[in-house]
Amino acid sequence: MAVLVALGAFLMTLAGGWTAQRVTDRRHLVLGLAGGLMLGVVGLDLLPEALEAAGGEVFGVPEALLLFVAGFLLAHLVERLLAARRAAHGAGEHGHRAPEVGLTAAAAMVGHSAMDGVAIGAAFQVGGGMGVAVALAVVAHDFADGFNTYTLTRLYGNARRKAIAMLAADAVAPVAGAASTLLFTIPEGALGAYLGLFGGVLLYLAAAEILPEAHHAHPARSTLLCTVAGAAFIWLVVGVAE
């Protein structure tokens, strides 16, 4: 049952990526929406789950929050190192952005989608009602995952075929994750640590890259409204899931 439900996440992820491809003539709106979706996922979905799952503290600070900050700094460090490497080799056709950052970010989205599948499988192990509730939440926000995976890959100058390949991997990931729960489960503490770290990476990409790019060439009110709409959509998804 968990694998069959995960097929819904597969279809929603592809739908999100397809939508991102079809609105390339409104790139600033796409980026504004993607930034809002990512902000909503981090603040309203990932961090609350991370704080609930990871119970330990280090010097009075929850472990999940420390890893959240570490993820933010890690994303910043990786981007700076790759950008410096490209500048040293005279590769500037994509400005200051290194395509490797986009692929790395998309790969992180794929990993997160796989964890979504694991969450579906684990919830069905607890009970059918819990499994359906978690599955609905995952399927709903996987549209945003597909949208962001394609957008992130293309934003950093990667070819369309690479973006489609990452989108396909992101679509398959929840099915594979759900199937893996037939063999093992992930400890709750480790899951919380992962969510905190991943949340920090996503927040950096949204705040330092996607949103500034969205408003750079088109500082329009419509772009801002798309950002707010993206965050509000995730709020709606979380509220319905609860």
Side-chain angles (χ1 to χ4, degrees), residues 188-242:
E188 186 177 16
L191 179 61
Y194 162 77
L195 291 175
L197 186 70
F198 181 61
V201 172
L202 273 192
L203 181 63
Y204 176 81
L205 293 172
E209 295 295 325
I210 288 184
L211 289 178
E213 177 70 13
H215 293 276
H216 174 65
H218 296 276
R221 184 179 302 173
S222 56
T223 306
L224 177 60
L225 290 176
C226 283
T227 302
V228 174
F233 173 75
I234 298 300
W235 185 16
L236 176 64
V237 169
V238 172
V240 170
E242 293 294 333

Tab-separated table of all heavy atoms in Angstrom, residues 188-242:
chain	number	residue	atom	x	y	z
A	188	GLU	N	14.409	7.755	14.684
A	188	GLU	CA	13.778	9.074	14.697
A	188	GLU	C	14.801	10.187	14.900
A	188	GLU	O	14.701	11.247	14.285
A	188	GLU	CB	12.725	9.128	15.801
A	188	GLU	CG	11.908	10.410	15.791
A	188	GLU	CD	10.823	10.407	16.851
A	188	GLU	OE1	10.901	9.567	17.762
A	188	GLU	OE2	9.906	11.240	16.761
A	189	GLY	N	15.802	9.954	15.753
A	189	GLY	CA	16.809	10.978	15.990
A	189	GLY	C	17.607	11.308	14.742
A	189	GLY	O	17.884	12.474	14.451
A	190	ALA	N	17.967	10.287	13.980
A	190	ALA	CA	18.720	10.517	12.743
A	190	ALA	C	17.868	11.257	11.723
A	190	ALA	O	18.367	12.119	10.990
A	190	ALA	CB	19.189	9.178	12.168
A	191	LEU	N	16.579	10.957	11.685
A	191	LEU	CA	15.682	11.645	10.768
A	191	LEU	C	15.584	13.130	11.111
A	191	LEU	O	15.622	13.997	10.240
A	191	LEU	CB	14.296	10.998	10.820
A	191	LEU	CG	13.219	11.620	9.928
A	191	LEU	CD1	13.628	11.534	8.463
A	191	LEU	CD2	11.882	10.940	10.159
A	192	GLY	N	15.497	13.440	12.399
A	192	GLY	CA	15.434	14.833	12.827
A	192	GLY	C	16.695	15.594	12.478
A	192	GLY	O	16.637	16.754	12.052
A	193	ALA	N	17.848	14.956	12.647
A	193	ALA	CA	19.115	15.600	12.304
A	193	ALA	C	19.192	15.900	10.817
A	193	ALA	O	19.613	16.986	10.395
A	193	ALA	CB	20.275	14.707	12.729
A	194	TYR	N	18.762	14.947	10.019
A	194	TYR	CA	18.767	15.149	8.564
A	194	TYR	C	17.860	16.305	8.164
A	194	TYR	O	18.231	17.158	7.354
A	194	TYR	CB	18.328	13.866	7.863
A	194	TYR	CG	17.884	14.101	6.439
A	194	TYR	CD1	18.808	14.297	5.416
A	194	TYR	CD2	16.525	14.173	6.122
A	194	TYR	CE1	18.384	14.545	4.122
A	194	TYR	CE2	16.102	14.411	4.829
A	194	TYR	CZ	17.042	14.600	3.834
A	194	TYR	OH	16.625	14.859	2.557
A	195	LEU	N	16.659	16.348	8.731
A	195	LEU	CA	15.710	17.404	8.373
A	195	LEU	C	16.245	18.780	8.749
A	195	LEU	O	16.066	19.757	8.013
A	195	LEU	CB	14.362	17.157	9.057
A	195	LEU	CG	13.566	15.951	8.565
A	195	LEU	CD1	12.308	15.760	9.405
A	195	LEU	CD2	13.194	16.109	7.104
A	196	GLY	N	16.913	18.879	9.891
A	196	GLY	CA	17.497	20.156	10.292
A	196	GLY	C	18.577	20.615	9.331
A	196	GLY	O	18.605	21.776	8.903
A	197	LEU	N	19.468	19.710	8.972
A	197	LEU	CA	20.554	20.043	8.044
A	197	LEU	C	20.003	20.430	6.674
A	197	LEU	O	20.419	21.445	6.081
A	197	LEU	CB	21.499	18.843	7.913
A	197	LEU	CG	22.769	19.071	7.090
A	197	LEU	CD1	23.722	20.000	7.828
A	197	LEU	CD2	23.465	17.737	6.801
A	198	PHE	N	19.068	19.662	6.173
A	198	PHE	CA	18.482	19.937	4.859
A	198	PHE	C	17.720	21.257	4.864
A	198	PHE	O	17.742	22.008	3.880
A	198	PHE	CB	17.560	18.785	4.464
A	198	PHE	CG	16.922	18.947	3.108
A	198	PHE	CD1	17.695	19.025	1.964
A	198	PHE	CD2	15.550	19.024	2.993
A	198	PHE	CE1	17.102	19.174	0.714
A	198	PHE	CE2	14.952	19.168	1.750
A	198	PHE	CZ	15.730	19.246	0.615
A	199	GLY	N	17.058	21.568	5.965
A	199	GLY	CA	16.337	22.832	6.069
A	199	GLY	C	17.267	24.029	5.958
A	199	GLY	O	16.934	25.029	5.311
A	200	GLY	N	18.443	23.934	6.557
A	200	GLY	CA	19.408	25.018	6.457
A	200	GLY	C	19.894	25.228	5.030
A	200	GLY	O	20.058	26.365	4.570
A	201	VAL	N	20.117	24.134	4.315
A	201	VAL	CA	20.544	24.224	2.917
A	201	VAL	C	19.462	24.893	2.071
A	201	VAL	O	19.740	25.798	1.269
A	201	VAL	CB	20.863	22.823	2.357
A	201	VAL	CG1	21.117	22.876	0.856
A	201	VAL	CG2	22.082	22.241	3.071
A	202	LEU	N	18.218	24.473	2.245
A	202	LEU	CA	17.126	25.038	1.463
A	202	LEU	C	16.930	26.525	1.753
A	202	LEU	O	16.686	27.316	0.840
A	202	LEU	CB	15.824	24.292	1.764
A	202	LEU	CG	15.509	23.038	0.961
A	202	LEU	CD1	14.058	22.634	1.203
A	202	LEU	CD2	15.752	23.214	-0.522
A	203	LEU	N	17.047	26.911	3.024
A	203	LEU	CA	16.854	28.314	3.362
A	203	LEU	C	17.922	29.181	2.709
A	203	LEU	O	17.629	30.280	2.215
A	203	LEU	CB	16.880	28.509	4.877
A	203	LEU	CG	16.650	29.952	5.335
A	203	LEU	CD1	15.264	30.428	4.915
A	203	LEU	CD2	16.825	30.085	6.840
A	204	TYR	N	19.156	28.690	2.678
A	204	TYR	CA	20.219	29.461	2.025
A	204	TYR	C	19.910	29.654	0.546
A	204	TYR	O	20.033	30.767	0.016
A	204	TYR	CB	21.564	28.757	2.180
A	204	TYR	CG	22.657	29.483	1.433
A	204	TYR	CD1	23.275	30.592	1.999
A	204	TYR	CD2	23.028	29.097	0.149
A	204	TYR	CE1	24.248	31.299	1.303
A	204	TYR	CE2	23.997	29.797	-0.550
A	204	TYR	CZ	24.603	30.889	0.034
A	204	TYR	OH	25.554	31.591	-0.674
A	205	LEU	N	19.527	28.589	-0.117
A	205	LEU	CA	19.251	28.686	-1.546
A	205	LEU	C	18.092	29.636	-1.826
A	205	LEU	O	18.121	30.407	-2.793
A	205	LEU	CB	18.943	27.296	-2.111
A	205	LEU	CG	20.116	26.314	-2.113
A	205	LEU	CD1	19.630	24.925	-2.516
A	205	LEU	CD2	21.217	26.777	-3.039
A	206	ALA	N	17.061	29.593	-0.969
A	206	ALA	CA	15.909	30.466	-1.182
A	206	ALA	C	16.255	31.929	-0.914
A	206	ALA	O	15.934	32.809	-1.718
A	206	ALA	CB	14.753	30.025	-0.283
A	207	ALA	N	16.908	32.183	0.218
A	207	ALA	CA	17.137	33.568	0.650
A	207	ALA	C	18.318	34.225	-0.050
A	207	ALA	O	18.291	35.437	-0.318
A	207	ALA	CB	17.353	33.601	2.164
A	208	ALA	N	19.362	33.460	-0.340
A	208	ALA	CA	20.580	34.056	-0.891
A	208	ALA	C	20.670	33.964	-2.408
A	208	ALA	O	21.461	34.693	-3.011
A	208	ALA	CB	21.816	33.380	-0.270
A	209	GLU	N	19.884	33.102	-3.023
A	209	GLU	CA	20.021	32.898	-4.452
A	209	GLU	C	18.714	33.121	-5.225
A	209	GLU	O	18.627	33.972	-6.096
A	209	GLU	CB	20.531	31.473	-4.731
A	209	GLU	CG	21.939	31.228	-4.210
A	209	GLU	CD	22.973	32.079	-4.938
A	209	GLU	OE1	22.819	32.317	-6.132
A	209	GLU	OE2	23.922	32.515	-4.278
A	210	ILE	N	17.696	32.339	-4.905
A	210	ILE	CA	16.492	32.347	-5.722
A	210	ILE	C	15.721	33.663	-5.610
A	210	ILE	O	15.373	34.282	-6.616
A	210	ILE	CB	15.594	31.155	-5.348
A	210	ILE	CG1	16.233	29.855	-5.848
A	210	ILE	CG2	14.199	31.309	-5.966
A	210	ILE	CD1	15.409	28.634	-5.616
A	211	LEU	N	15.450	34.126	-4.387
A	211	LEU	CA	14.667	35.345	-4.238
A	211	LEU	C	15.399	36.590	-4.752
A	211	LEU	O	14.779	37.421	-5.442
A	211	LEU	CB	14.243	35.520	-2.780
A	211	LEU	CG	13.175	34.524	-2.306
A	211	LEU	CD1	12.847	34.743	-0.837
A	211	LEU	CD2	11.908	34.644	-3.143
A	212	PRO	N	16.699	36.760	-4.475
A	212	PRO	CA	17.393	37.908	-5.080
A	212	PRO	C	17.370	37.877	-6.605
A	212	PRO	O	17.208	38.918	-7.249
A	212	PRO	CB	18.827	37.765	-4.542
A	212	PRO	CG	18.670	37.056	-3.253
A	212	PRO	CD	17.555	36.076	-3.492
A	213	GLU	N	17.505	36.702	-7.194
A	213	GLU	CA	17.463	36.581	-8.645
A	213	GLU	C	16.063	36.914	-9.179
A	213	GLU	O	15.921	37.556	-10.230
A	213	GLU	CB	17.837	35.162	-9.056
A	213	GLU	CG	17.772	34.888	-10.550
A	213	GLU	CD	18.867	35.593	-11.344
A	213	GLU	OE1	19.829	36.094	-10.714
A	213	GLU	OE2	18.755	35.653	-12.578
A	214	ALA	N	15.037	36.503	-8.452
A	214	ALA	CA	13.667	36.769	-8.888
A	214	ALA	C	13.377	38.258	-8.947
A	214	ALA	O	12.668	38.731	-9.842
A	214	ALA	CB	12.684	36.079	-7.943
A	215	HIS	N	13.919	39.024	-8.014
A	215	HIS	CA	13.609	40.450	-7.923
A	215	HIS	C	14.670	41.331	-8.576
A	215	HIS	O	14.507	42.556	-8.598
A	215	HIS	CB	13.444	40.850	-6.456
A	215	HIS	CG	12.243	40.240	-5.800
A	215	HIS	ND1	10.980	40.780	-5.890
A	215	HIS	CD2	12.116	39.103	-5.063
A	215	HIS	CE1	10.127	40.020	-5.224
A	215	HIS	NE2	10.780	39.002	-4.713
A	216	HIS	N	15.729	40.738	-9.094
A	216	HIS	CA	16.822	41.536	-9.661
A	216	HIS	C	16.394	42.241	-10.952
A	216	HIS	O	16.489	43.467	-11.061
A	216	HIS	CB	18.029	40.641	-9.934
A	216	HIS	CG	19.136	41.345	-10.643
A	216	HIS	ND1	19.840	42.389	-10.067
A	216	HIS	CD2	19.671	41.190	-11.888
A	216	HIS	CE1	20.750	42.831	-10.918
A	216	HIS	NE2	20.662	42.126	-12.027
A	217	ALA	N	15.920	41.460	-11.919
A	217	ALA	CA	15.561	42.036	-13.210
A	217	ALA	C	14.107	42.500	-13.262
A	217	ALA	O	13.749	43.369	-14.044
A	217	ALA	CB	15.812	41.022	-14.325
A	218	HIS	N	13.246	41.892	-12.423
A	218	HIS	CA	11.813	42.220	-12.442
A	218	HIS	C	11.325	42.458	-11.012
A	218	HIS	O	10.654	41.590	-10.435
A	218	HIS	CB	11.012	41.086	-13.082
A	218	HIS	CG	11.341	40.846	-14.516
A	218	HIS	ND1	10.775	41.555	-15.542
A	218	HIS	CD2	12.204	39.968	-15.093
A	218	HIS	CE1	11.261	41.133	-16.693
A	218	HIS	NE2	12.130	40.176	-16.454
A	219	PRO	N	11.649	43.619	-10.435
A	219	PRO	CA	11.184	43.906	-9.068
A	219	PRO	C	9.703	44.282	-9.043
A	219	PRO	O	9.313	45.354	-8.612
A	219	PRO	CB	12.074	45.081	-8.654
A	219	PRO	CG	12.368	45.788	-9.932
A	219	PRO	CD	12.460	44.712	-10.985
A	220	ALA	N	8.873	43.380	-9.572
A	220	ALA	CA	7.448	43.664	-9.719
A	220	ALA	C	6.671	43.172	-8.508
A	220	ALA	O	7.088	42.255	-7.797
A	220	ALA	CB	6.918	42.991	-10.985
A	221	ARG	N	5.504	43.792	-8.307
A	221	ARG	CA	4.632	43.376	-7.218
A	221	ARG	C	4.147	41.948	-7.435
A	221	ARG	O	3.951	41.192	-6.473
A	221	ARG	CB	3.446	44.333	-7.131
A	221	ARG	CG	2.515	44.061	-5.954
A	221	ARG	CD	1.376	45.076	-5.920
A	221	ARG	NE	1.895	46.439	-5.826
A	221	ARG	CZ	1.127	47.524	-5.908
A	221	ARG	NH1	-0.183	47.393	-6.107
A	221	ARG	NH2	1.656	48.722	-5.801
A	222	SER	N	3.968	41.553	-8.695
A	222	SER	CA	3.503	40.201	-8.981
A	222	SER	C	4.506	39.147	-8.518
A	222	SER	O	4.116	38.063	-8.077
A	222	SER	CB	3.235	40.036	-10.482
A	222	SER	OG	4.391	40.352	-11.236
A	223	THR	N	5.805	39.464	-8.598
A	223	THR	CA	6.824	38.530	-8.120
A	223	THR	C	6.712	38.333	-6.617
A	223	THR	O	6.787	37.210	-6.107
A	223	THR	CB	8.229	39.046	-8.474
A	223	THR	OG1	8.296	39.313	-9.876
A	223	THR	CG2	9.290	38.008	-8.120
A	224	LEU	N	6.530	39.430	-5.903
A	224	LEU	CA	6.359	39.346	-4.451
A	224	LEU	C	5.112	38.559	-4.087
A	224	LEU	O	5.125	37.736	-3.156
A	224	LEU	CB	6.288	40.754	-3.862
A	224	LEU	CG	6.049	40.853	-2.349
A	224	LEU	CD1	7.165	40.153	-1.590
A	224	LEU	CD2	5.942	42.308	-1.915
A	225	LEU	N	4.033	38.767	-4.831
A	225	LEU	CA	2.798	38.035	-4.568
A	225	LEU	C	2.984	36.537	-4.794
A	225	LEU	O	2.418	35.716	-4.066
A	225	LEU	CB	1.674	38.570	-5.462
A	225	LEU	CG	1.163	39.970	-5.134
A	225	LEU	CD1	0.118	40.420	-6.146
A	225	LEU	CD2	0.584	40.018	-3.723
A	226	CYS	N	3.785	36.169	-5.806
A	226	CYS	CA	4.073	34.751	-6.047
A	226	CYS	C	4.838	34.141	-4.876
A	226	CYS	O	4.597	32.992	-4.482
A	226	CYS	CB	4.870	34.591	-7.340
A	226	CYS	SG	3.874	34.736	-8.838
A	227	THR	N	5.760	34.912	-4.311
A	227	THR	CA	6.522	34.428	-3.158
A	227	THR	C	5.600	34.183	-1.968
A	227	THR	O	5.672	33.139	-1.307
A	227	THR	CB	7.613	35.449	-2.773
A	227	THR	OG1	8.460	35.669	-3.891
A	227	THR	CG2	8.435	34.943	-1.598
A	228	VAL	N	4.738	35.157	-1.693
A	228	VAL	CA	3.782	35.006	-0.592
A	228	VAL	C	2.842	33.834	-0.854
A	228	VAL	O	2.536	33.049	0.053
A	228	VAL	CB	2.986	36.313	-0.398
A	228	VAL	CG1	1.892	36.122	0.658
A	228	VAL	CG2	3.914	37.451	0.007
A	229	ALA	N	2.410	33.676	-2.101
A	229	ALA	CA	1.508	32.580	-2.450
A	229	ALA	C	2.177	31.230	-2.249
A	229	ALA	O	1.536	30.276	-1.793
A	229	ALA	CB	1.043	32.730	-3.898
A	230	GLY	N	3.466	31.138	-2.580
A	230	GLY	CA	4.181	29.882	-2.382
A	230	GLY	C	4.235	29.477	-0.923
A	230	GLY	O	3.968	28.320	-0.564
A	231	ALA	N	4.563	30.448	-0.048
A	231	ALA	CA	4.610	30.157	1.389
A	231	ALA	C	3.222	29.823	1.922
A	231	ALA	O	3.057	28.904	2.742
A	231	ALA	CB	5.202	31.348	2.138
A	232	ALA	N	2.208	30.545	1.442
A	232	ALA	CA	0.843	30.293	1.894
A	232	ALA	C	0.355	28.912	1.461
A	232	ALA	O	-0.381	28.232	2.197
A	232	ALA	CB	-0.097	31.374	1.343
A	233	PHE	N	0.776	28.470	0.268
A	233	PHE	CA	0.386	27.145	-0.208
A	233	PHE	C	0.915	26.054	0.721
A	233	PHE	O	0.191	25.116	1.073
A	233	PHE	CB	0.909	26.924	-1.626
A	233	PHE	CG	0.708	25.520	-2.138
A	233	PHE	CD1	-0.540	25.077	-2.533
A	233	PHE	CD2	1.781	24.640	-2.209
A	233	PHE	CE1	-0.724	23.778	-2.996
A	233	PHE	CE2	1.612	23.348	-2.667
A	233	PHE	CZ	0.358	22.907	-3.053
A	234	ILE	N	2.171	26.181	1.132
A	234	ILE	CA	2.742	25.190	2.050
A	234	ILE	C	2.018	25.228	3.389
A	234	ILE	O	1.769	24.187	4.012
A	234	ILE	CB	4.248	25.434	2.239
A	234	ILE	CG1	4.977	25.290	0.904
A	234	ILE	CG2	4.835	24.452	3.264
A	234	ILE	CD1	4.840	23.922	0.258
A	235	TRP	N	1.659	26.421	3.857
A	235	TRP	CA	0.889	26.551	5.096
A	235	TRP	C	-0.426	25.793	4.972
A	235	TRP	O	-0.850	25.079	5.889
A	235	TRP	CB	0.658	28.023	5.398
A	235	TRP	CG	-0.015	28.304	6.714
A	235	TRP	CD1	-0.168	27.442	7.778
A	235	TRP	CD2	-0.637	29.530	7.115
A	235	TRP	NE1	-0.834	28.050	8.804
A	235	TRP	CE2	-1.134	29.329	8.433
A	235	TRP	CE3	-0.817	30.757	6.497
A	235	TRP	CZ2	-1.804	30.332	9.135
A	235	TRP	CZ3	-1.474	31.758	7.207
A	235	TRP	CH2	-1.965	31.545	8.500
A	236	LEU	N	-1.098	25.946	3.831
A	236	LEU	CA	-2.348	25.239	3.589
A	236	LEU	C	-2.150	23.730	3.607
A	236	LEU	O	-2.929	22.993	4.224
A	236	LEU	CB	-2.937	25.685	2.247
A	236	LEU	CG	-4.209	24.967	1.790
A	236	LEU	CD1	-5.352	25.258	2.753
A	236	LEU	CD2	-4.587	25.391	0.369
A	237	VAL	N	-1.093	23.284	2.949
A	237	VAL	CA	-0.805	21.843	2.904
A	237	VAL	C	-0.568	21.296	4.308
A	237	VAL	O	-1.098	20.253	4.689
A	237	VAL	CB	0.420	21.572	2.015
A	237	VAL	CG1	0.889	20.134	2.171
A	237	VAL	CG2	0.078	21.849	0.547
A	238	VAL	N	0.249	22.013	5.092
A	238	VAL	CA	0.550	21.560	6.459
A	238	VAL	C	-0.715	21.547	7.308
A	238	VAL	O	-0.961	20.618	8.077
A	238	VAL	CB	1.631	22.474	7.087
A	238	VAL	CG1	1.801	22.142	8.571
A	238	VAL	CG2	2.945	22.310	6.359
A	239	GLY	N	-1.542	22.602	7.156
A	239	GLY	CA	-2.772	22.671	7.937
A	239	GLY	C	-3.740	21.547	7.598
A	239	GLY	O	-4.336	20.947	8.499
A	240	VAL	N	-3.891	21.234	6.320
A	240	VAL	CA	-4.779	20.148	5.905
A	240	VAL	C	-4.255	18.809	6.411
A	240	VAL	O	-5.025	17.949	6.850
A	240	VAL	CB	-4.912	20.127	4.362
A	240	VAL	CG1	-5.634	18.861	3.919
A	240	VAL	CG2	-5.670	21.368	3.884
A	241	ALA	N	-2.922	18.637	6.366
A	241	ALA	CA	-2.328	17.368	6.811
A	241	ALA	C	-2.546	17.148	8.307
A	241	ALA	O	-2.713	16.019	8.767
A	241	ALA	CB	-0.846	17.348	6.479
A	242	GLU	N	-2.523	18.243	9.066
A	242	GLU	CA	-2.722	18.115	10.524
A	242	GLU	C	-4.181	17.794	10.843
A	242	GLU	O	-4.481	17.197	11.823
A	242	GLU	CB	-2.314	19.428	11.218
A	242	GLU	CG	-0.815	19.703	11.133
A	242	GLU	CD	0.012	18.698	11.893
A	242	GLU	OE1	-0.511	18.121	12.869
A	242	GLU	OE2	1.177	18.479	11.518
